[in-house]
Amino acid sequence: TSDGTHNSGSEYTTGVTTSGTPGSATAFTKIEVTSSTPVVLYYYCSSHSGMGGNVDIPGGSGSGHTDRGLSVGGTAPSGTNIIDQIQISTTGNASDFGDTTSTVYDGNCASNTTRSVYGNGDNAPGMSNVIQYTVFSTKGNMADFGDSTLARGQTTNGTMSNKVRGFYGPGYVSGSGAQNRIEVITISTMGNAVDFGDRSIADGLRSAAGVCSPTRAVFCGGRGPSGNTDTMDYITMASAGNASDFGNLVADNRYCAGLSSETRGVVVGGSSVNVIQYITTASTGNATDFGDTSTNLQTAGCTSNNVRGVALGGSTPSIVNTIQYITIGSTGNTTDFGDLTAARTNTSGSSGSHGGLQ
């Protein structure tokens, strides 16, 4: 329990060995991690409240979660708090995972092998600055993570994260319009997002797609006050700063979604089209045609491991429950995967492969 005995919790003792006097040289606490260890353990000061933190336990209380993909929130047609789960390397219908902390849609997920972190979104009639998270290896509802620097919706629709950091792209701020701020979180540590830099288009963008490698995140398309754009720009994840030009999509596009392997980023649908296109994230240049979705598709949620990319739901323009997939390393049209538990669009996807990056 967070804050331990100060919050009605009890000390965790299974497989725990201590030696010496805490705070003294050579003293230590050792915890033997097994498959039954809880996925989150909290450390705390026995004398003072509010002095502690948490440790995520990869592989705790379950296995196979690095292949787990989530579809978070969405509209059906009004906002929903549903979280669905799939196993990416298989096919079949989604099943219930849990709920978000509130009814919210059009936000964005980031993830590592342990956590899925969902930020921002529209919780009509306003926009949200809430960031919330769940742990892949256990089913359950999301919990508070921190806050974004802005309350906004229509943020980048795609997982943009590596093992350490998650990125939330520009979106729409109620009363102010589109803005171009990029924010960053440290996924393993709960807390507020901080400003990272700006996209290269000064008037701001929303409803873009995001793809990434372990070192680089690429923003693809979007809409600003001047209309839709085909612009792609990128950041280097390890260092804060503004985005640089990458190249262009095959056409102006918004409402598209992104998925990734370690080397390739794939942009799926958007603006009532069925086009799939891809880039090689380590280089710069224009996108190349990959294939087609089964029908025109926009505002789908996407998730992936390092081999397979999956598009969940979306609108055609009718809201659909279909799940379809591609093999990222090849090219071609999508194949049927199964169905969501309910038809919805404006959902966001994440995976225990932290955005497809094994």
Side-chain angles (χ1 to χ4, degrees):
T1 304
S2 178
D3 212 17
T5 55
H6 307 292
N7 190 29
S8 301
S10 58
E11 184 178 357
Y12 179 77
T13 58
T14 304
V16 177
T17 302
T18 61
S19 177
T21 302
S24 301
T26 73
F28 66 85
T29 298
K30 179 176 71 174
I31 303 174
E32 181 184 2
V33 175
T34 69
S35 60
S36 61
T37 305
V39 294
V40 180
L41 290 175
Y42 298 91
Y43 55 90
Y44 64 99
C45 175
S46 59
S47 300
H48 307 92
S49 65
M51 297 178 64
N54 63 282
V55 178
D56 292 327
I57 309 297
S61 294
S63 60
H65 53 276
T66 56
D67 189 50
R68 180 169 287 167
L70 300 183
S71 171
V72 181
T75 53
S78 58
T80 178
N81 64 348
I82 294 171
I83 307 174
D84 277 355
Q85 65 172 342
I86 60 169
Q87 291 300 127
I88 299 172
S89 62
T90 63
T91 58
N93 295 336
S95 61
D96 180 65
F97 182 92
D99 297 321
T100 57
T101 60
S102 61
T103 299
V104 67
Y105 59 92
D106 228 355
N108 183 44
C109 283
S111 55
N112 59 15
T113 56
T114 306
R115 286 180 167 179
S116 174
V117 186
Y118 182 81
N120 297 133
D122 194 324
N123 58 352
M127 304 295 175
S128 174
N129 71 337
V130 171
I131 305 174
Q132 49 191 300
Y133 81 102
T134 190
V135 179
F136 283 110
S137 58
T138 56
K139 294 182 182 180
N141 299 336
M142 286 195 161
D144 184 65
F145 183 95
D147 294 319
S148 175
T149 65
L150 293 170
R152 57 185 176 176
Q154 302 179 37
T155 54
T156 302
N157 187 1
T159 300
M160 300 183 66
S161 48
N162 55 21
K163 290 181 178 180
V164 179
R165 286 178 147 186
F167 297 85
Y168 299 112
Y172 183 84
V173 177
S174 182
S176 301
Q179 49 75 46
N180 64 348
R181 183 180 301 178
I182 305 166
E183 296 181 337
V184 61
I185 59 169
T186 301
I187 300 172
S188 63
T189 306
M190 289 180 281
N192 297 335
V194 297
D195 185 30
F196 183 91
D198 297 323
R199 278 202 68 175
S200 60
I201 298 178
D203 63 4
L205 287 168
R206 49 182 163 143
S207 303
V211 299
C212 59
S213 70
T215 58
R216 177 180 283 187
V218 185
F219 301 90
C220 305
R223 177 177 174 81
S226 302
N228 296 348
T229 182
D230 64 354
T231 298
M232 294 186 288
D233 47 9
Y234 74 96
I235 56 174
T236 301
M237 291 177 167
S239 56
N242 297 335
S244 302
D245 182 63
F246 186 96
N248 299 106
L249 296 171
V250 297
D252 291 347
N253 202 355
R254 65 168 171 164
Y255 299 143
C256 42
L259 57 90
S260 309
S261 69
E262 289 185 344
T263 58
R264 180 177 281 191
V266 181
V267 178
V268 180
S271 303
S272 298
V273 299
N274 67 340
V275 174
I276 307 171
Q277 48 196 303
Y278 75 96
I279 58 172
T280 301
T281 46
S283 61
T284 57
N286 297 335
T288 302
D289 183 68
F290 184 99
D292 298 319
T293 57
S294 58
T295 184
N296 289 350
L297 188 69
Q298 63 184 32
T299 57
C302 280
T303 186
S304 57
N305 57 24
N306 205 37
V307 176
R308 176 179 284 187
V310 185
L312 307 120
S315 56
T316 64
S318 300
I319 299 175
V320 297
N321 69 343
T322 54
I323 307 173
Q324 45 194 305
Y325 75 94
I326 57 169
T327 301
I328 300 174
S330 62
T331 57
N333 300 335
T334 59
T335 301
D336 181 64
F337 185 99
D339 296 320
L340 293 171
T341 60
R344 62 187 188 277
T345 188
N346 296 309
T347 183
S348 186
S350 63
S351 79
S353 295
H354 51 99
L357 313 179
Q358 300 276 20

